[in-house]
Amino acid sequence: MGRVKLEIKRIENPTNRQVTFSKRRNGLIKKAYELSILCDIDIAVIMFSPSGRVNHFSGRRRIEDVFTRYINLPDQVRDNAVSFPELPYRRGIQNKEYLLRTLQQLRSENDIALQLAKFV
Amino acid sequence: MGRVKLEIKRIENPTNRQVTFSKRRNGLIKKAYELSILCDIDIAVIMFSPSGRVNHFSGRRRIEDVFTRYINLPDQVRDNAVSFPELPYRRGIQNKEYLLRTLQQLRSENDIALQLAKFV
DNA sequence: CTATCTATTTATAAATC
DNA sequence: TGATTTATAAATAGATA
Protein backbone atom coordinates (compact mmCIF):
# COMPACT_ATOMS: atom_id res chain seq x y z
CA MET A 1 0.00 0.00 0.00
CA GLY A 2 2.36 2.63 -1.12
CA ARG A 3 4.60 3.76 -3.90
CA VAL A 4 6.57 0.55 -3.81
CA LYS A 5 6.05 -2.97 -2.54
CA LEU A 6 7.67 -3.20 0.86
CA GLU A 7 9.60 -6.28 1.88
CA ILE A 8 8.71 -7.45 5.38
CA LYS A 9 12.00 -7.24 7.21
CA ARG A 10 13.50 -4.97 9.82
CA ILE A 11 13.84 -1.36 8.63
CA GLU A 12 17.44 -0.54 9.42
CA ASN A 13 17.22 3.26 9.21
CA PRO A 14 16.10 4.40 12.67
CA THR A 15 14.18 7.43 11.39
CA ASN A 16 12.29 5.43 8.78
CA ARG A 17 11.62 2.73 11.34
CA GLN A 18 10.02 5.22 13.74
CA VAL A 19 8.02 6.91 10.97
CA THR A 20 6.71 3.59 9.72
CA PHE A 21 5.88 2.63 13.28
CA SER A 22 3.82 5.76 13.82
CA LYS A 23 1.85 5.30 10.62
CA ARG A 24 1.21 1.59 11.01
CA ARG A 25 0.45 1.88 14.72
CA ASN A 26 -2.40 4.23 13.86
CA GLY A 27 -3.62 1.88 11.16
CA LEU A 28 -3.47 -1.14 13.43
CA ILE A 29 -5.34 0.54 16.26
CA LYS A 30 -8.00 1.75 13.87
CA LYS A 31 -8.44 -1.81 12.61
CA ALA A 32 -8.68 -3.11 16.16
CA TYR A 33 -11.25 -0.45 16.99
CA GLU A 34 -13.36 -1.27 13.92
CA LEU A 35 -13.21 -4.99 14.64
CA SER A 36 -14.33 -4.48 18.22
CA ILE A 37 -17.36 -2.48 17.08
CA LEU A 38 -18.32 -4.43 13.96
CA CYS A 39 -18.10 -7.81 15.67
CA ASP A 40 -18.87 -6.66 19.22
CA ILE A 41 -15.89 -8.43 20.75
CA ASP A 42 -13.24 -8.05 23.40
CA ILE A 43 -9.86 -7.13 22.01
CA ALA A 44 -6.63 -5.81 23.47
CA VAL A 45 -3.48 -4.57 21.77
CA ILE A 46 -0.25 -3.67 23.52
CA MET A 47 2.85 -2.51 21.71
CA PHE A 48 6.13 -0.82 22.46
CA SER A 49 7.54 1.70 20.00
CA PRO A 50 11.11 1.37 18.70
CA SER A 51 12.07 3.95 21.32
CA GLY A 52 10.39 1.90 24.06
CA ARG A 53 7.23 3.90 24.61
CA VAL A 54 4.09 1.90 25.21
CA ASN A 55 0.85 2.18 23.27
CA HIS A 56 -2.27 0.18 23.86
CA PHE A 57 -5.87 -0.18 22.85
CA SER A 58 -8.78 -2.17 24.12
CA GLY A 59 -12.39 -2.11 23.06
CA ARG A 60 -15.26 -2.77 25.39
CA ARG A 61 -13.22 -3.71 28.43
CA ARG A 62 -10.13 -2.48 30.14
CA ILE A 63 -6.99 -4.15 28.89
CA GLU A 64 -6.41 -5.69 32.31
CA ASP A 65 -9.79 -7.38 32.12
CA VAL A 66 -9.14 -8.77 28.65
CA PHE A 67 -5.86 -10.16 29.87
CA THR A 68 -7.56 -11.63 32.90
CA ARG A 69 -10.10 -13.30 30.66
CA TYR A 70 -7.18 -14.65 28.65
CA ILE A 71 -5.05 -15.82 31.53
CA ASN A 72 -7.96 -17.58 33.19
CA LEU A 73 -8.31 -19.91 30.20
CA PRO A 74 -6.96 -23.44 30.53
CA ASP A 75 -3.39 -23.74 29.21
CA GLN A 76 -4.44 -25.94 26.34
CA VAL A 77 -6.99 -23.44 25.05
CA ARG A 78 -4.38 -20.69 25.07
CA ASP A 79 -1.83 -22.85 23.29
CA ASN A 80 -4.23 -23.87 20.56
CA ALA A 81 -5.16 -20.25 19.93
CA VAL A 82 -1.67 -19.05 19.01
CA SER A 83 -1.43 -17.32 15.65
CA PHE A 84 1.76 -18.15 13.75
CA PRO A 85 2.73 -21.05 16.04
CA GLU A 86 5.68 -21.66 13.74
CA LEU A 87 7.62 -18.68 15.11
CA PRO A 88 10.86 -19.98 16.62
CA TYR A 89 10.50 -19.03 20.25
CA ARG A 90 7.25 -20.93 20.64
CA ARG A 91 8.93 -24.29 20.27
CA GLY A 92 9.08 -26.20 23.48
CA ILE A 93 7.33 -23.61 25.55
CA GLN A 94 6.14 -24.77 28.89
CA ASN A 95 3.30 -22.29 29.06
CA LYS A 96 2.78 -22.91 32.73
CA GLU A 97 6.38 -22.03 33.54
CA TYR A 98 6.23 -18.70 31.81
CA LEU A 99 2.89 -17.93 33.33
CA LEU A 100 4.38 -18.71 36.70
CA ARG A 101 7.26 -16.36 36.08
CA THR A 102 4.85 -13.65 34.96
CA LEU A 103 2.75 -14.09 38.01
CA GLN A 104 5.75 -13.99 40.29
CA GLN A 105 6.74 -10.69 38.74
CA LEU A 106 3.24 -9.43 39.38
CA ARG A 107 3.42 -10.48 42.98
CA SER A 108 5.34 -7.56 44.40
CA GLU A 109 3.03 -5.12 42.68
CA ASN A 110 0.11 -7.08 44.01
CA ASP A 111 1.45 -6.71 47.53
CA ILE A 112 1.94 -3.00 47.04
CA ALA A 113 -1.59 -2.68 45.67
CA LEU A 114 -2.97 -4.55 48.65
CA GLN A 115 -1.11 -2.23 50.97
CA LEU A 116 -2.47 0.80 49.16
CA ALA A 117 -5.96 -0.67 49.25
CA LYS A 118 -6.04 -0.34 53.00
CA PHE A 119 -6.20 3.41 52.61
CA VAL A 120 -8.79 3.55 49.81
CA MET B 1 -12.20 -1.99 1.26
CA GLY B 2 -14.86 -3.83 -0.56
CA ARG B 3 -17.77 -3.45 -2.88
CA VAL B 4 -19.42 -0.87 -0.66
CA LYS B 5 -18.39 1.47 2.11
CA LEU B 6 -19.09 -0.21 5.42
CA GLU B 7 -20.46 1.76 8.33
CA ILE B 8 -18.61 1.03 11.57
CA LYS B 9 -21.35 -0.30 13.80
CA ARG B 10 -22.29 -3.69 15.19
CA ILE B 11 -23.18 -6.19 12.46
CA GLU B 12 -26.52 -7.55 13.60
CA ASN B 13 -26.64 -10.67 11.42
CA PRO B 14 -24.72 -13.35 13.37
CA THR B 15 -23.44 -15.13 10.26
CA ASN B 16 -22.15 -11.95 8.68
CA ARG B 17 -20.63 -10.92 11.98
CA GLN B 18 -18.68 -14.17 12.25
CA VAL B 19 -17.58 -14.01 8.59
CA THR B 20 -16.40 -10.45 8.98
CA PHE B 21 -14.61 -11.40 12.18
CA SER B 22 -12.71 -14.21 10.47
CA LYS B 23 -11.58 -12.02 7.60
CA ARG B 24 -10.62 -9.02 9.66
CA ARG B 25 -8.96 -11.10 12.36
CA ASN B 26 -6.59 -12.45 9.72
CA GLY B 27 -5.94 -8.97 8.41
CA LEU B 28 -5.28 -7.57 11.87
CA ILE B 29 -2.87 -10.33 12.84
CA LYS B 30 -1.02 -9.95 9.57
CA LYS B 31 -0.65 -6.24 10.26
CA ALA B 32 0.58 -6.92 13.78
CA TYR B 33 3.08 -9.44 12.43
CA GLU B 34 4.37 -7.02 9.80
CA LEU B 35 4.69 -4.22 12.34
CA SER B 36 6.65 -6.41 14.72
CA ILE B 37 9.14 -7.31 11.99
CA LEU B 38 9.42 -3.98 10.19
CA CYS B 39 9.87 -2.00 13.38
CA ASP B 40 11.44 -4.73 15.51
CA ILE B 41 9.10 -4.20 18.43
CA ASP B 42 7.19 -6.08 21.10
CA ILE B 43 3.51 -6.38 20.35
CA ALA B 44 0.67 -8.48 21.69
CA VAL B 45 -2.89 -8.90 20.46
CA ILE B 46 -5.62 -10.80 22.27
CA MET B 47 -9.16 -11.10 20.97
CA PHE B 48 -12.25 -13.17 21.56
CA SER B 49 -14.40 -14.17 18.59
CA PRO B 50 -18.15 -13.50 18.59
CA SER B 51 -18.57 -17.11 19.69
CA GLY B 52 -16.12 -16.60 22.55
CA ARG B 53 -13.07 -18.39 21.18
CA VAL B 54 -9.75 -16.74 21.90
CA ASN B 55 -7.15 -15.74 19.33
CA HIS B 56 -3.85 -14.12 20.07
CA PHE B 57 -0.64 -13.04 18.50
CA SER B 58 2.65 -11.77 19.80
CA GLY B 59 5.86 -11.03 17.99
CA ARG B 60 9.28 -11.44 19.51
CA ARG B 61 8.15 -12.31 23.01
CA ARG B 62 5.51 -14.46 24.61
CA ILE B 63 2.31 -12.62 25.23
CA GLU B 64 2.74 -13.06 28.97
CA ASP B 65 6.07 -11.30 28.80
CA VAL B 66 4.65 -8.40 26.82
CA PHE B 67 1.90 -8.04 29.37
CA THR B 68 4.44 -8.19 32.17
CA ARG B 69 6.44 -5.45 30.53
CA TYR B 70 3.21 -3.46 30.31
CA ILE B 71 1.98 -4.05 33.82
CA ASN B 72 5.34 -3.21 35.33
CA LEU B 73 5.10 0.33 33.97
CA PRO B 74 4.15 3.10 36.38
CA ASP B 75 0.41 3.82 36.37
CA GLN B 76 0.86 7.23 34.85
CA VAL B 77 2.79 5.90 31.86
CA ARG B 78 0.07 3.36 31.17
CA ASP B 79 -2.66 5.97 31.46
CA ASN B 80 -0.95 8.37 29.10
CA ALA B 81 -0.52 5.61 26.53
CA VAL B 82 -4.21 4.83 26.07
CA SER B 83 -5.43 5.03 22.49
CA PHE B 84 -8.90 6.54 22.14
CA PRO B 85 -9.03 7.84 25.73
CA GLU B 86 -12.43 9.31 24.88
CA LEU B 87 -14.13 5.92 25.03
CA PRO B 88 -16.80 6.05 27.74
CA TYR B 89 -15.56 3.46 30.17
CA ARG B 90 -12.22 5.13 30.59
CA ARG B 91 -13.69 8.13 32.35
CA GLY B 92 -12.89 8.18 36.01
CA ILE B 93 -10.90 5.00 36.00
CA GLN B 94 -8.80 4.46 39.04
CA ASN B 95 -6.21 2.40 37.26
CA LYS B 96 -4.79 1.11 40.49
CA GLU B 97 -8.16 -0.23 41.61
CA TYR B 98 -8.71 -2.21 38.45
CA LEU B 99 -5.20 -3.48 38.46
CA LEU B 100 -5.77 -4.59 42.02
CA ARG B 101 -8.91 -6.46 41.05
CA THR B 102 -7.09 -8.10 38.16
CA LEU B 103 -4.26 -9.15 40.36
CA GLN B 104 -6.60 -10.56 42.95
CA GLN B 105 -8.19 -12.68 40.27
CA LEU B 106 -4.75 -13.91 39.30
CA ARG B 107 -3.96 -14.80 42.88
CA SER B 108 -5.59 -18.19 43.06
CA GLU B 109 -3.97 -19.23 39.82
CA ASN B 110 -0.69 -17.96 41.17
CA ASP B 111 -1.08 -20.17 44.21
CA ILE B 112 -1.88 -23.17 42.05
CA ALA B 113 1.15 -22.44 39.89
CA LEU B 114 3.37 -22.21 42.92
CA GLN B 115 2.05 -25.54 44.14
CA LEU B 116 2.74 -27.10 40.75
CA ALA B 117 6.21 -25.58 40.71
CA LYS B 118 7.23 -27.76 43.62
CA PHE B 119 7.08 -30.75 41.32
CA VAL B 120 8.87 -29.22 38.34
C1' DC C 1 8.22 14.39 15.77
C1' DT C 2 3.25 15.49 12.90
C1' DA C 3 0.63 16.40 8.83
C1' DT C 4 -0.37 16.26 3.73
C1' DC C 5 -0.06 14.63 -0.79
C1' DT C 6 -0.76 10.78 -4.30
C1' DA C 7 0.71 6.72 -6.78
C1' DT C 8 0.32 2.15 -5.55
C1' DT C 9 -0.38 -1.75 -3.02
C1' DT C 10 -3.32 -4.17 0.10
C1' DA C 11 -7.58 -5.45 2.42
C1' DT C 12 -12.03 -6.76 2.06
C1' DA C 13 -17.65 -6.73 1.00
C1' DA C 14 -20.42 -9.05 -1.68
C1' DA C 15 -20.94 -12.49 -4.91
C1' DT C 16 -19.94 -16.90 -6.47
C1' DC C 17 -18.16 -21.58 -6.48
C1' DT D 1 -19.63 -24.05 6.15
C1' DG D 2 -15.36 -22.71 3.64
C1' DA D 3 -12.47 -21.17 -0.51
C1' DT D 4 -12.14 -18.06 -4.55
C1' DT D 5 -13.23 -14.04 -7.32
C1' DT D 6 -13.54 -9.22 -8.27
C1' DA D 7 -14.83 -4.50 -7.81
C1' DT D 8 -13.94 -1.13 -4.74
C1' DA D 9 -12.53 1.10 -0.38
C1' DA D 10 -8.71 1.82 2.57
C1' DA D 11 -3.90 1.92 3.99
C1' DT D 12 0.49 3.45 3.25
C1' DA D 13 5.73 4.38 1.06
C1' DG D 14 8.07 7.93 -0.19
C1' DA D 15 8.23 12.71 -0.92
C1' DT D 16 7.37 17.04 0.85
C1' DA D 17 6.25 20.83 4.11
Side-chain angles (χ1 to χ4, degrees), chain A residues 71-88:
Chain A
I71 213 165
N72 282 332
L73 296 169
D75 273 7
Q76 202 182 352
V77 175
R78 272 197 303 275
D79 292 344
N80 290 338
V82 175
S83 302
F84 300 152
E86 73 280 8
L87 289 183

Side-chain angles (χ1 to χ4, degrees), chain A residues 51-113:
Chain A
S51 57
R53 290 165 70 163
V54 67
N55 295 98
H56 58 85
F57 167 77
S58 64
R60 305 181 308 180
R61 302 184 189 218
R62 275 166 299 282
I63 204 160
E64 289 89 344
D65 295 338
V66 176
F67 192 74
T68 301
R69 185 176 171 187
Y70 164 79
I71 213 165
N72 282 332
L73 296 169
D75 273 7
Q76 202 182 352
V77 175
R78 272 197 303 275
D79 292 344
N80 290 338
V82 175
S83 302
F84 300 152
E86 73 280 8
L87 289 183
Y89 73 79
R90 298 189 201 290
R91 293 189 204 112
I93 284 181
Q94 296 295 318
N95 191 290
K96 186 186 65 199
E97 282 182 27
Y98 284 104
L99 185 54
L100 172 63
R101 201 206 304 164
T102 300
L103 291 167
Q104 286 176 327
Q105 288 182 55
L106 291 178
R107 251 191 158 182
S108 60
E109 191 159 358
N110 193 0
D111 290 342
I112 292 166

Side-chain angles (χ1 to χ4, degrees), chain B residues 2-49:
Chain B
R3 296 300 181 88
V4 297
K5 182 173 164 62
L6 184 68
E7 191 185 356
I8 302 303
K9 66 173 194 180
R10 180 189 153 96
I11 297 169
E12 293 302 334
N13 181 290
T15 304
N16 288 346
R17 192 163 65 245
Q18 178 63 49
V19 168
T20 293
F21 175 78
S22 296
K23 289 181 177 181
R24 281 178 173 253
R25 174 200 56 206
N26 293 343
L28 188 76
I29 286 176
K30 183 178 177 186
K31 290 287 189 186
Y33 164 74
E34 293 180 352
L35 186 57
S36 74
I37 300 293
L38 288 171
C39 301
D40 196 23
I41 60 156
D42 283 339
I43 181 167
V45 179
I46 305 174
M47 60 188 133
F48 292 84
S49 80

Side-chain angles (χ1 to χ4, degrees), chain B residues 75-94:
Chain B
D75 274 8
Q76 202 182 351
V77 174
R78 273 197 302 276
D79 292 345
N80 290 337
V82 175
S83 301
F84 299 155
E86 73 280 7
L87 288 183
Y89 74 79
R90 298 190 203 288
R91 292 190 204 113
I93 283 181
Q94 297 294 318

